[in-house]
Amino acid sequence: MLREEILQILHQPMEPDAAYLRASDLLDRSDLNSLPVFRMAVLRSFTIEPLVEVLKVKFFLEGFRLELFLSEFNQYPQEILDPKSRLYRFDPELVFVAIRLEELAPSFFSGEEVLQKIFNW
């Protein structure tokens, strides 16, 4: 029944963001303890919070209750390198790394060098 309510919300004529917010709110007010838990961690260097509701709803529709760990901004190296970090204590089944390419390879984004690197000029 809850699944049908969620699907009905998602198919109503409204902005997708609003639909996922309403569906997520309904999930937050529901007892999902009977569902298997899926533990997902997101290590990030930018704002990912707008996707949280979408992830919760999508995992619910697949039959899971999502437990989500969001790293602090730009703390992914510390989380990865410290075996006593919150990431390791969370013990996720999946780790999603959302890091801006500019942070991983800053020299790639310096001026005209980008065109030279892309087109081998």
Side-chain angles (χ1 to χ4, degrees):
M1 177 152 187
L2 179 58
R3 188 175 200 286
E4 289 76 23
E5 287 181 66
I6 296 293
L7 289 171
Q8 186 177 32
I9 290 170
L10 295 178
H11 288 100
Q12 289 178 0
M14 68 175 81
E15 290 294 319
D17 293 347
Y20 279 101
L21 284 171
R22 286 188 56 208
S24 178
D25 184 54
L26 179 59
L27 289 177
D28 289 343
R29 292 183 280 120
S30 302
D31 180 12
L32 304 178
N33 289 328
S34 63
L35 293 177
V37 173
F38 189 89
R39 299 169 65 81
M40 178 179 173
V42 179
L43 304 178
R44 74 234 176 90
S45 68
F46 56 89
T47 302
I48 197 100
E49 284 80 356
L51 294 177
V52 169
E53 285 79 15
V54 174
L55 289 170
K56 282 179 10 183
V57 171
K58 293 290 189 179
F59 272 84
F60 169 78
L61 292 174
E62 294 299 323
F64 295 95
R65 178 170 46 99
L66 180 63
E67 285 187 12
L68 190 62
F69 167 85
L70 291 178
S71 72
E72 298 298 324
F73 288 104
N74 290 327
Q75 297 299 309
Y76 55 90
Q78 294 88 328
E79 293 288 352
I80 292 169
L81 295 173
D82 180 3
K84 295 180 182 174
S85 71
R86 292 182 323 123
L87 171 67
Y88 287 97
R89 289 192 310 267
F90 182 70
D91 193 27
E93 297 169 75
L94 172 70
V95 177
F96 183 80
V97 180
I99 302 170
R100 293 174 26 154
L101 184 57
E102 293 92 336
E103 293 175 32
L104 292 176
S107 64
F108 187 78
F109 290 90
S110 59
E112 291 185 27
E113 290 179 35
V114 173
L115 293 176
Q116 292 171 348
K117 290 175 183 173
I118 292 174
F119 298 108
N120 213 12
W121 290 348

